[in-house]
Amino acid sequence: AQTVTQSQPEMSVQEAETVTLSCTYDTSESDYYLFWYKQPPSRQMILVIRQEAYKQQNATENRFSVNFQKAAKSFSLKISDSQLGDAAMYFCAYRSSLYGGATNKLIFGTGTLLAVQP
Amino acid sequence: SQTIHQWPATLVQPVGSPLSLECTVEGTSNPNLYWYRQAAGRGLQLLFYSVGIGQISSEVPQNLSASRPQDRQFILSSKKLLLSDSGFYLCAWRVIAGRTGELFFGEGSRLTVL
């Protein structure tokens, strides 16, 4: 079974600085999808960025980028120019590319709580 | 555009009472629907998912049940709540035809069982 591990329960960053959140996963599949979700204090989960495993190029969304290392099964999130609004719980998630049945679900890590210091 | 709504947003219930949380998706048809629970300080646990009307898959044995009476409606229920049912419940949906398959989440429902 696939697993997702986030080894940093909490992180802190100064405003305008850069921070990297770690995520590793375990799978025997070669094609899959990886996601980073943000959960602010309002509690609604928001998709930050996605990566398709067959793409070698790292995904980027404005100040958010990933470092996808397929062989190492690592998927870290880098937040540049951190802002106060970035303070939230961040979840890494995995989904198989196969269709149907149990493979439709997203598997989440336990999250990293990011604090942004002014 | 697609939207997802959950209600109630907050619920305080005594042990042994029934539960009904509702989730509705608008602007799409035949979505995959999911119920997740997030306990305090922990990650998200998948409880149920549904690929169509009346089709429910349960991920973990528990005191809860789910139903999908209509294409875009997903209901989480319990006949008798336990203290351990307290938590933050999130409904989510996914476009089946979409390749990347990210989930879109509702606002969540905070359940406190006393």
Side-chain angles (χ1 to χ4, degrees):
Chain A
Q2 296 87 5
T3 58
V4 177
T5 302
Q6 292 179 251
S7 58
Q8 306 155 315
E10 298 182 13
M11 293 281 286
S12 182
V13 63
Q14 291 291 127
E15 197 174 5
E17 296 296 311
T18 296
V19 64
T20 298
L21 308 183
S22 301
C23 173
T24 58
Y25 56 94
D26 188 25
T27 183
S28 59
E29 299 175 339
S30 60
D31 194 15
Y32 47 85
Y33 307 99
L34 297 165
F35 308 90
W36 278 99
Y37 279 87
K38 170 185 177 181
Q39 187 180 38
S42 67
R43 306 306 298 272
Q44 186 165 15
M45 298 278 283
I46 304 166
L47 178 67
V48 175
I49 199 165
R50 71 175 73 86
Q51 175 79 41
E52 297 168 85
Y54 71 88
K55 292 185 177 179
Q56 293 185 336
Q57 185 174 5
N58 289 325
T60 300
E61 289 287 342
N62 301 313
R63 298 183 294 107
F64 298 87
S65 61
V66 299
N67 183 6
F68 174 49
Q69 301 290 328
K70 190 172 184 179
K73 297 181 182 176
S74 171
F75 183 61
S76 60
L77 174 69
K78 185 172 80 172
I79 305 174
S80 304
D81 186 24
S82 296
Q83 302 175 0
L84 295 177
D86 294 333
M89 181 74 85
Y90 287 82
F91 291 95
C92 179
Y94 168 101
R95 189 182 85 82
S96 169
S97 67
L98 299 175
Y99 288 96
T103 57
N104 285 314
K105 59 186 177 182
L106 251 63
I107 301 169
F108 287 86
T110 52
T112 296
L113 182 61
L114 177 66
V116 180
Q117 307 299 329
Chain B
S1 63
Q2 301 90 353
T3 57
I4 178 169
H5 299 287
Q6 277 184 247
W7 69 94
T10 305
L11 198 59
V12 180
Q13 292 285 102
V15 169
S17 64
L19 170 73
S20 180
L21 299 179
E22 294 193 30
C23 172
T24 299
V25 181
E26 298 177 357
T28 187
S29 60
N30 197 29
N32 280 4
L33 296 171
Y34 305 81
W35 277 111
Y36 281 86
R37 176 169 59 199
Q38 185 177 19
R42 301 179 67 179
L44 281 78
Q45 179 187 36
L46 179 62
L47 302 176
F48 301 95
Y49 67 94
S50 172
V51 299
I53 296 174
Q55 301 179 60
I56 308 295
S57 296
S58 175
E59 285 294 298
V60 292
Q62 59 201 313
N63 184 44
L64 303 170
S65 62
S67 62
R68 185 170 177 174
Q70 300 180 42
D71 181 44
R72 290 170 290 175
Q73 184 184 25
F74 205 23
I75 299 171
L76 184 68
S77 304
S78 174
K79 293 182 178 178
K80 291 184 178 182
L81 284 169
L82 305 173
L83 288 174
S84 58
D85 292 325
S86 293
F88 190 65
Y89 290 83
L90 287 159
C91 180
W93 72 277
R94 181 175 81 83
V95 176
I96 295 177
R99 175 171 167 78
T100 55
E102 62 263 32
L103 295 186
F104 299 94
F105 287 85
E107 306 94 333
S109 299
R110 165 73 61 194
L111 171 65
T112 302
V113 182
L114 302 175

